[in-house]
Amino acid sequence: MTMARIEAGYLPGLTADEVSWHSLHFGSGARQLEVAVPVLTAAQMQALALRVKQASARHLRTMSVSEIIAIIDRAIARLLDRDDPYRRQADAWLPVVSGFDAEMVRVGLTGFFKTFRAPQLHRFVAEDFTNPKVLDAFQPAPKGGAVRAYGPALLAHSWAGNVPALALWSFVCGLLVKAGNIGKLPSAEPLFAGWFARLLAEVHPPWAECFAVVWWRGAGDGSADALYAQADTVVAYGGNEALQAIQRRLPVTTRFLPHGHKLGFGVVSASALDALKAPALARRAAWDVMRYDQQGCYSPQVFYVQRGGQVSPRAFADYIAAELANLQQRYPRRALDLNESSAVAKWRQSIEWRIPLDSGPQSVDCLIGEPGAPWSVAYVDGELALAPTGLQRSIVIAVIDSLDDIASRLAGREVYLQTAGVAASPAELYRLAEQLGAAGVTRISAIGSMSVPEAGWHHDGRFNLLDLVRMTEIEQSAEAAADPFAEYEP
């Protein structure tokens, strides 16, 4: 059996023979893959950063945002074409690297790529800038004078690999603000970012040296320091410890935008639990749990279900369990490593400790389904604070008596809150939104859409583009002072 080999990354100005390579191995049986990731010296990284900054100044900063969007749209159109070589690579190898079901990855990629078409990107820019032309030239300011937004000369990315193609978010953001971009590949998914860089260079050759995709182990070494010394802004994704390790390496003047671990949850009102709506709602909830086995920061880990509907919270839990069993047949859960299996077992044990020894299958607190099933539904009828599950399709259905109980369940979790899925009437939705926003939630979606954020969403409650730029203002006083020097003045 011959193991396939792919060279990852994207290094303009460097040949394969000029750099060292480190091998990462993925897959098993007949589907094994060696991914070679580039290991640069500090001097090579310094030269690469300078090359990217100079090229982006020539070829990105001189373009309008609309022109940039048109080029990105052409690249995304190719990724949406299942016959395109880049899309075929993604469909073939991202399941091997990530371990996720191939059909799940295919469906997930298609939905993800659609959020980066031209109409969505124009909305994305307009969400952060009332007048997107401020990215192209000075524009009149409402208070008088004029204003313009400048992206960083060099934007560094440290990407996470828990979900395939996750690098696309910040990569595209960097392009939209006309920054030179250098991204660090995650060892868990080291393929997509390099492919996207190569695709952009094919679609628009003048951009060939405006970005690079590199790798280093862990928090980094001398090559990481060489990059960070030249970067104006660093965007990083990962666990809190990893983010702190990155921050310690940064110069004090570097803008740092970290995105750490989050806990997603859902809220189901009694008004959503009638005999017709509840089964369909459970199906959508199960999809949110199933997508990428809850590896996204927006994935739900608890559904708080209000008592008093036509369908009881326990019956709703049974519906979700049945849907997860069905989804397992269509999109099998990936194989777990020892640590992941241990985490699921430990979580299941924590639920079992809540269950009385003499309880039956309809007890107040229980685990639904067979012990060895590749999904877990825990039903808890009692006060339960938001906490992580074992992931890997593990979900808690926790009963609440009133929607007003939610605030107490979230107390002390502010820094971990991001996405909440809600199924409720319009009046309840807005009342809940006030509570959730005050508690720290930054995104409220429909259940079924928790794991597919809209284009232009405010990631962790922040501005995707506005946080990357600096604003330069011409004050009204400067305009007024310039008038006497005009040629048309006497």
Side-chain angles (χ1 to χ4, degrees), residues 219-234:
D221 49 17
S223 63
D225 290 336
L227 173 59
Y228 292 149
Q230 295 200 55
D232 305 282
T233 302
V234 175

Side-chain angles (χ1 to χ4, degrees), residues 76 79 112-113 116 159 165-173 192 196:
I76 295 298
L79 289 173
F112 186 50
F113 294 151
F116 295 95
W159 291 311
L166 195 59
L168 191 58
W169 272 115
S170 67
F171 200 154
V172 167
C173 287
F192 180 80
F196 187 61

Side-chain angles (χ1 to χ4, degrees), residues 201-469:
E202 284 186 18
V203 168
H204 189 65
W207 279 7
E209 296 188 344
C210 292
F211 33 73
V213 179
V214 299
W215 181 87
W216 57 72
R217 190 186 303 277
D221 49 17
S223 63
D225 290 336
L227 173 59
Y228 292 149
Q230 295 200 55
D232 305 282
T233 302
V234 175
V235 179
Y237 302 82
N240 292 343
E241 290 184 6
L243 295 175
Q244 288 172 350
I246 293 172
Q247 188 172 32
R248 285 193 292 267
R249 304 185 80 102
L250 301 182
V252 68
T253 54
T254 302
R255 186 181 301 187
F256 183 50
L257 302 173
H259 296 280
H261 285 323
K262 300 297 177 183
L263 289 173
F265 66 96
V267 183
V268 178
S269 165
S271 63
L273 294 175
D274 66 28
L276 293 177
K277 301 186 183 94
L281 178 61
R283 187 173 306 116
R284 295 193 296 271
W287 269 88
D288 276 333
V289 175
M290 177 276 299
R291 283 193 186 105
Y292 294 129
D293 298 345
Q294 296 170 292
Q295 296 302 301
C297 58
Y298 30 65
S299 300
Q301 302 197 45
V302 179
F303 285 112
Y304 291 104
V305 182
Q306 186 184 16
R307 202 190 314 270
Q310 292 180 14
V311 173
S312 70
R314 173 55 205 261
F316 187 70
D318 288 334
Y319 285 150
I320 289 182
E323 292 297 339
L324 287 174
N326 290 336
L327 289 170
Q328 171 64 20
Q329 300 303 312
R330 185 174 177 186
Y331 305 104
R333 189 183 72 181
R334 65 188 179 90
L336 306 186
D337 63 28
L338 185 61
N339 289 335
E340 291 167 332
S341 297
S342 177
V344 173
K346 185 176 179 180
W347 172 77
R348 287 180 62 93
Q349 186 178 57
S350 72
I351 298 297
E352 289 168 350
W353 283 344
R354 297 175 57 103
I355 304 172
L357 293 177
D358 60 350
S359 62
Q362 299 297 318
S363 67
V364 173
D365 292 347
C366 63
L367 284 163
I368 301 171
E370 296 297 322
W375 49 267
S376 301
V377 177
Y379 176 75
V380 177
D381 190 347
E383 187 167 329
L384 182 76
L386 180 64
T389 67
L391 302 179
Q392 321 305 339
R393 309 192 189 187
S394 300
I395 190 72
V396 176
I397 309 302
V399 182
I400 55 174
D401 293 313
S402 167
L403 297 180
D404 294 331
D405 294 341
I406 291 300
S408 65
R409 308 298 194 267
L410 307 180
R413 305 293 193 272
E414 296 86 352
V415 297
Y416 299 107
L417 299 181
Q418 182 204 77
T419 296
V422 173
S425 70
E428 290 171 329
L429 169 63
Y430 279 89
R431 193 175 89 236
L432 260 175
E434 292 291 346
Q435 294 182 53
L436 297 176
V441 171
T442 60
R443 173 176 172 253
I444 300 171
S445 77
I447 290 175
S449 299
M450 295 179 66
S451 51
V452 283
E454 295 176 343
W457 73 302
H458 295 106
H459 192 178
D460 292 343
R462 302 207 299 251
F463 290 93
N464 292 289
L465 304 179
L466 201 55
D467 278 0
L468 297 177
V469 305

